[in-house]
Each structure stands twice: as structure tokens, then as C-alpha cells.
Amino acid sequence: MSRPEIDVRGLYKSFGQNRVLRGIDLEIGRGEVVCVIGPSGSGKSTLLRCVNLLEEPTEGRVFVGGTELTDPDVDIDAARRRIGMVFQQFNLFPHLTVTENLTLPQRRVLRRGKARAAKVAAENLARVGLSEKADAYPSSLSGGQQQRVAIARALAMGPEVMLFDEPTSALDPELVGDVLAVMRMLADEGMTMMVVTHEMTFAREVADRVVFMDGGVIVEDGTPDRVIKAPRHERTRHFLSRLLDPAMADVEEETSDQVGGGT
Amino acid sequence: MTDTGLDAPPRRKGLTRRRKRGLSRGAQYTVFVAAVIALAVTADWGRLGNQFAQTDIARRMFPDVITLALKNTVLFTVSGFVVGLALGMVIALMRLSSVGPYRWLAGIYIEIFRGLPALLIFIFIGVAVPLAFPGTEIVGGTYGKVALALGLVAAAYMAETIRAGIQAVPRGQMEAARSLGFSPARAMASVIVPQAFRIILPPLTNELVLLFKDSSLVLFLGVTLEERELSKYGRDLASQTANSTPILVAGLCYLLITIPLGFVVRRMEAKAQEAVR
């Protein structure tokens, strides 16, 4: 097998006294789709943000496409062009139209010409099914549409890797499907994807691997069938049972979990 | 005391609330009407009209008061605003810099120029600088001096406004830009600053109104006839004719600009409010 597309080695991250990541090793191969799940505060979003160095790791090394991002001499802007990132809050540029959101980064960062950038923008809007919104402003779009534009904006840069930070968590439930459909399409096309999510159905059906994190470490890592259907660790079982059937979690259980999870 | 007390409200001996309100409003109207009557009776309307509303003197001021005085006022103001905006932008970015000395310098500048009267800055530029550096000539003559003096004062206020605007842009915008491969400087220029300016357009326009009024301080630089702006022009004509009508006309010319600008600011603020909702 060739080198992994994403390679995280011995990663630690602290915010002051708060040790969020405590030794993460993770490899993601080319074309692989990996879903990262875990309770809130488990460090899964921080891990994702360390992969494109939006958060500077306290210790450890991060390689993407063979380039070490944690090397202080690396051109981080150039490295980030190969990594698309999709945020929970979309983060579209509100002062620009949908098309301009897609063309501005191409023109300023990749130095593409006007016509070329417009063509790439139109192609990617078509991919996410939003061609008719090309001239709209983000504020006039639904959350689901905004998130699809955000995905198109990342794709227009021609990334080799896509990172998704809880892409559907800020959406109304009925809008989640459209965004997941776009992500599924990307996965089918062979994009290397790392997805922090709570969408278990998506993880089960689309992911090649599921990683369960808790307390800043990777607790389980395996195929969806293994991790979701037959978890080996008590913490994973606990998390999954509460996630898959929130109504079943009773107060007593939650208290004991908080004591256990806090250690 | 209160109506919501546990005990049954005692029967008030004094005035009811309704009666009190009526009396209070009545008293206020009485004072107002009395003041208007007193003014109307005591003022010497004939002399006031003579002093402030001489139509032939007013007529003689046109078109110079517009083509010369108002034009110069606008020119001074706009050049001061441009200098202030450019300098304010630099100082705001210095204030947000990760390099300590830049932050301190910007802080010191803001404290000094916010604390000094604009008049003092004008005297400084007009008198102190030529004395301290003989032979130096500020480019643009009077126009250059005014632009510099007004710009120095405005920059301090604008720097704080711009900084606040930049900080009001959500953090996610910078993160999104960086993750797309923008360098920090380019992200600032193409993503953050354009949004910041949308936020600070109303306070910046207010600053323009303030500068418009401060441009009258050019009086203390000593100007040629051709460089006179509204205040100087009005004052000169008032002493020439021994009549105050020119002052009134000059004043009206200021309001001609400031009132519409104020209206624009309120419109922008209302629109911004709507956008937030």
C-alpha cells in the first residue's frame, strides 16, 4: 500500500491546563472515508482542526499527502489548498454572492483567471445542485443550501482531502438529507474524507472506517460493522446506546456516565 | 405605597396618579408657553431681522458662498477624511498586530490624538512645525496642512472604529479563509476588512460630519482669499458689512450637508438593525 493521505502521529493538544488530545495516531488512506464519532468534549473537532492546522498541535506530527504540516518551514497556505474544510456554521462570506464565494478564493489564492474561475464555480454549484442560486446571497439560502455552497466552495479549489466538522449539526432535521447526499456523492467519487459527525446512518452506510473518540484518545477504530454494530468497549456501547435511542437514557445512567467520562 | 402590596391599598389622601400626571403635563406646557411669550415680547424683532436677515447682503454672498466657501469646506473635509481613513486603517492594523511595539505605538497615538483639542493640532501644524523644521514645506500648501491636521485627529477615532469593526467579524470568517489557503494578510484584505467596513459605515459617516465642522479650524492656519471656507468667509463678510447675516447663511450651508448626512446614517443604522434580525 502507498503512503496514507492523512497521517497523524503522536498528537497532543492542550488549551492551557485543559488537555484535549492525549496521544492520537491515525492513518487515512487515499479514497478512504473515515467518520469520527464520540461524545461532546471528546476532542474529535479539535483533532479535525489539527489536520489542517487551524489548531496548532502542542506535540506530534501531521502529514497530509506526504507533506508535513507541522514542519515550521512548510508553506502552510499552499498545503491548505489541497485540504478542503467544511464547518458546522458554514462560514460563507456573507458580503459576496454564491458565485463570488466560489470565485474569490480561486482568483486570489490559485490566481485563476476570471473566466476559468467562473467556469469551475458553475461546475461545482451544479454538482451540489444549486446552479439556480448562483446570484443569491448566502443570507437568502436555507442552512442546507448554505452548507452545500460551502462544500462547493471547498471543491472549487480542487482539494485532495475533505474535512467535515459536524456539517449537519446546525441544520434543521429536514435539511440534513440534502447535505448528506452531496457527501455521499463525494465518497462515491473516491474523495478522501474525514468526517466528524453524529449521523450514525451516514457513518454506517458510507464510511469505510469509524473512529470512536472519548477523553482525547481513540477508543475504537474499525469498520462500521465492527464499531457500531459490535463495539468492544463499554464506553463505545454506552455512547452508541444513548445516541441511537436518546429516549432510553435515564437520569441515573447519565449521572454514572458523567462520573466515568470525567476521569 | 405600592398598589401590589399585600395590604389593601390605603385610600390616598393626596392626588391620584391620573391627576398627578395631568398636573405635571400642564405645568410643563405652561412653562413652555410662558418662555415663548417672554421671548416674543422681549426680543427686538426689528433689530434681529436687520442683523440676521438682510436679504440684499445674503444675495450678495451668492454664488461665492457656494462655489468658493462651501467648495473649500468640502475639499478640506474630504481630504482630511481620506488621510484619516488611510492612517486610521494602518493604526487599527497595528493595534491588532501580534508584534508588541506596534500595538503600543498605536495605543499611544490613539490616546494622544483623542485627548488633544483639534484646535491645538491645527496650531501645531500651522505654527510649531514651520518653526521647528524651517525650510520644510508641507505638500499642497494650505490644503495639505488641513488634510494633515484633520487626518491626524480623525485617524485616532477611526482607528478605534475600524478595530472594533474588524473584531466584530465572526472568527469563523478568518478560519474559512485560512482553510481555503488565504494568507493572513490576504484574508484580512479580501474577506475581513470588506465586512468590517459594512459594520462601521454609520460611525464612519458620523466622523465625516464631525470633520466637516472641524474644518472651520483652518481659520487658525491663515488662509488666502481663495482658500476661505464657510466659517472664515462668513466671518470676513460679517465684519465687512457689520452685519450678522453672513454668519447665518454660512451656518445654513453647514446644515445643508450635515442634516442629509445624519439622515443617511440613521437609514444605514436602521438597515443594519434589520439585517441582524
Side-chain angles (χ1 to χ4, degrees), chain A residues 49 80 92-93 108 111, chain B residues 172-173 175 178 180 186:
Chain A
R49 291 161 61 86
R80 281 192 182 125
L92 291 177
F93 304 138
R108 295 289 153 79
R111 298 258 159 236
Chain B
Q173 292 291 311
E175 287 182 351
R178 292 307 307 280
L180 286 162
R186 193 158 281 159

Side-chain angles (χ1 to χ4, degrees), chain B residues 138-152:
Chain B
I138 293 171
V139 281
T142 305
Y143 291 96
K145 283 185 199 164
V146 178
L148 185 63
L150 282 180
L152 286 175

Side-chain angles (χ1 to χ4, degrees), chain A residues 49 52 54 76-77 80-81 83 85 87 91-95 104-105 108-109 111 153 157, chain B residues 171-184 186 189-192 194-195 198:
Chain A
R49 291 161 61 86
N52 71 349
L54 272 186
I76 188 69
D77 299 327
R80 281 192 182 125
R81 281 167 216 164
I83 310 170
M85 174 108 175
F87 298 86
N91 292 346
L92 291 177
F93 304 138
H95 60 301
L104 180 83
R108 295 289 153 79
V109 177
R111 298 258 159 236
R153 178 175 69 177
M157 304 298 281
Chain B
R171 224 171 79 100
Q173 292 291 311
M174 183 53 111
E175 287 182 351
R178 292 307 307 280
S179 72
L180 286 162
F182 281 84
S183 68
R186 193 158 281 159
S190 350
V191 176
I192 307 296
Q195 292 184 57
R198 254 146 232 260

Side-chain angles (χ1 to χ4, degrees), chain B residues 88-113:
Chain B
M89 188 76 221
V90 171
I91 294 170
L93 290 175
M94 281 171 71
R95 195 108 163 86
L96 293 167
S97 164
S98 54
V99 181
Y102 281 153
R103 284 200 307 274
W104 307 329
L105 262 177
I108 291 168
Y109 180 92
I110 289 167
E111 289 309 325
I112 289 179
F113 282 88

Side-chain angles (χ1 to χ4, degrees), chain B residues 129-262:
Chain B
V129 169
L131 285 179
F133 309 99
T136 55
E137 192 63 41
I138 293 171
V139 281
T142 305
Y143 291 96
K145 283 185 199 164
V146 178
L148 185 63
L150 282 180
L152 286 175
V153 177
Y157 290 95
M158 290 206 223
E160 282 296 85
T161 308
I162 295 169
R163 180 187 60 80
I166 288 174
Q167 287 179 329
V169 176
R171 224 171 79 100
Q173 292 291 311
M174 183 53 111
E175 287 182 351
R178 292 307 307 280
S179 72
L180 286 162
F182 281 84
S183 68
R186 193 158 281 159
M188 192 54 107
S190 350
V191 176
I192 307 296
V193 169
Q195 292 184 57
F197 267 91
R198 254 146 232 260
I199 299 171
I200 62 174
L201 210 55
L204 276 187
T205 314
N206 266 330
E207 182 61 28
L208 187 64
V209 171
L210 291 180
L211 281 183
F212 196 66
K213 298 186 289 175
D214 276 349
S215 67
S216 61
L217 294 170
V218 68
L219 213 93
F220 294 90
L221 285 181
V223 293
T224 65
L225 285 179
E226 287 305 302
E227 292 165 353
R228 286 181 302 177
E229 43 66 72
L230 281 173
S231 293
K232 170 90 171 139
Y233 182 81
R235 197 181 77 150
D236 285 0
L237 231 67
S239 44
Q240 258 175 49
T241 56
N243 189 281
S244 306
T245 306
I247 307 273
L248 190 81
V249 174
L252 289 174
C253 286
Y254 278 107
L255 298 182
L256 206 66
I257 304 280
T258 54
I259 289 175
L261 270 182

Side-chain angles (χ1 to χ4, degrees), chain A residues 165-261:
Chain A
D165 189 2
E166 303 200 22
T168 56
S169 297
L171 300 178
D172 290 335
E174 78 272 20
L175 303 175
V176 168
D178 292 339
V179 172
L180 291 183
V182 169
M183 291 168 63
R184 189 188 297 256
M185 172 193 81
L186 281 180
D188 291 344
E189 288 172 7
M191 177 65 78
T192 309
M193 293 163 67
M194 183 170 170
V195 186
V196 169
T197 188
H198 292 296
E199 298 294 337
M200 283 305 132
T201 316
F202 180 82
R204 207 160 28 208
E205 292 176 7
V206 181
D208 298 305
R209 264 163 65 204
V210 171
V211 170
F212 174 70
M213 281 181 72
D214 194 13
V217 296
I218 291 176
V219 177
E220 277 194 66
D221 180 349
T223 63
D225 278 345
R226 246 263 317 49
V227 176
I228 296 176
K229 292 200 181 131
R232 286 181 195 153
H233 291 263
E234 176 54 32
R235 281 199 273 180
T236 318
R237 274 198 287 274
H238 210 102
F239 171 75
L240 286 172
S241 71
R242 290 182 49 204
L243 192 71
L244 296 176
D245 202 352
M248 288 306 287
D250 54 18
V251 178
E252 216 171 40
E253 198 180 345
E254 193 158 355
T255 318
S256 69
D257 177 59
Q258 272 177 354
V259 171

